[in-house]
Amino acid sequence: DGGITQSPKYLFRKEGQNVTLSCEQNLNHDAMYWYRQDPGQGLRLIYYSQIVNDFQKGDIAEGYSVSREKKESFPLTVTSAQKNPTAFYLCASSTSSGGDYNEQFFGPGTRLTVL
Amino acid sequence: SQQGEEDPQALSIQEGENATMNCSYKTSINNLQWYRQNSGRGLVHLILIRSNEREKHSGRLRVTLDTSKKSSSLLITASRAADTASYFCATPRRDTGRRALTFGSGTRLQVQP
């Protein structure tokens, strides 16, 4: 089955720890994205990548880092510099046709809680 | 920045009724998309309408787009309890070369059986 997976589903972080959220897709999509969702809110863009070894900051990149070493993978690290990381994190991917990026496919999400 | 804003924030209806959600946006767009999110899950793409289209149908879904008013509506006809979810509109962000999307805060739909 083609799709996008995230792991773990639930993650608990202690103060001062870095944690890494995994995102993998087998859809052969060029572009991948990380969003943060707080309770009752919409999605806010953290980082996005349109090609391997390239990524761009979104609206709330501070305290987060990413890498894109493979087309299929786009892991997100939540560093200790992120002061309020408790949230639901969503990874997505998309492809383009004729220069337009169309629908995004989302993973099931990772819920991060700071203890 | 949040470009799309949905209205109402919450909607509760009976099974069989129609549900209408509205979305407003601020800048020019080449398409507008609607997504659905079940509680605690990822988003699922429902429908995409391009800026040169006024109306689009997909099953029980009907989407309209009025670019002069910078607004869109999503109509779910003959709703079912399984339609209970949050619904978001999203527009491509010009500052990302239309690669990333800006999402509204969503409409939470509750369909009572």
Side-chain angles (χ1 to χ4, degrees):
Chain A
D1 283 340
I4 181 165
T5 59
Q6 292 183 242
S7 63
K9 187 173 182 179
Y10 299 98
L11 186 56
F12 298 92
R13 192 193 92 167
K14 293 181 181 178
E15 296 273 356
Q17 266 187 340
N18 291 354
V19 291
T20 297
L21 284 59
S22 169
C23 177
E24 304 276 334
Q25 55 98 0
N26 61 3
L27 300 166
N28 199 33
H29 286 172
D30 295 314
M32 297 187 74
Y33 314 83
W34 275 105
Y35 294 94
R36 169 179 171 145
Q37 186 178 33
D38 291 285
Q41 301 296 314
L43 279 64
R44 291 185 289 168
L45 182 66
I46 305 173
Y47 269 98
Y48 68 100
S49 168
Q50 54 184 304
I51 198 169
V52 173
N53 292 324
D54 182 66
F55 47 82
Q56 307 295 328
K57 292 182 179 180
D59 300 315
I60 55 166
E62 185 175 350
Y64 300 97
S65 66
V66 293
S67 63
R68 187 88 187 275
E69 297 176 0
K70 298 187 300 181
K71 188 176 186 178
E72 301 80 15
S73 178
F74 191 39
L76 173 74
T77 297
V78 184
T79 74
S80 57
Q82 171 50 237
K83 297 306 178 188
N84 185 24
T86 295
F88 190 50
Y89 291 87
L90 288 158
C91 180
S93 69
S94 69
T95 190
S96 66
S97 60
D100 264 348
Y101 284 74
N102 297 319
E103 64 183 285
Q104 292 190 5
F105 292 79
F106 282 81
T110 292
R111 189 166 300 280
L112 173 62
T113 302
V114 173
L115 301 174
Chain B
S1 60
Q2 298 282 5
Q3 158 145 269
E5 291 298 332
E6 288 89 345
D7 169 60
Q9 290 187 339
L11 181 61
S12 182
I13 59 174
Q14 296 295 122
E15 216 169 16
E17 293 180 340
N18 294 345
T20 299
M21 289 158 265
N22 303 296
C23 168
S24 61
Y25 59 92
K26 296 176 183 173
T27 63
S28 63
I29 59 171
N30 63 336
N31 70 64
L32 185 143
Q33 303 173 35
W34 284 91
Y35 288 81
R36 165 195 169 125
Q37 183 182 34
N38 286 69
S39 181
R41 310 290 291 272
L43 277 70
V44 174
H45 181 264
L46 294 176
I47 196 164
L48 180 153
I49 185 165
R50 301 199 183 279
S51 58
N52 60 355
E53 297 175 308
R54 292 295 170 260
E55 188 171 309
K56 198 164 183 179
H57 296 254
S58 177
R60 292 184 296 112
L61 305 180
R62 172 180 169 250
V63 168
T64 62
L65 179 64
D66 187 335
T67 54
S68 67
K69 295 181 179 178
K70 292 186 169 57
S71 67
S72 174
S73 67
L74 171 66
L75 168 67
I76 304 174
T77 60
S79 63
R80 306 166 182 169
D83 294 328
T84 294
S86 291
Y87 293 82
F88 297 90
C89 67
T91 53
R93 295 175 54 147
R94 299 173 90 180
D95 62 341
T96 66
R98 298 195 177 112
R99 291 169 177 83
L101 297 172
T102 294
F103 288 84
S105 53
T107 292
R108 294 184 301 281
L109 174 66
Q110 177 77 39
V111 181
Q112 307 285 352

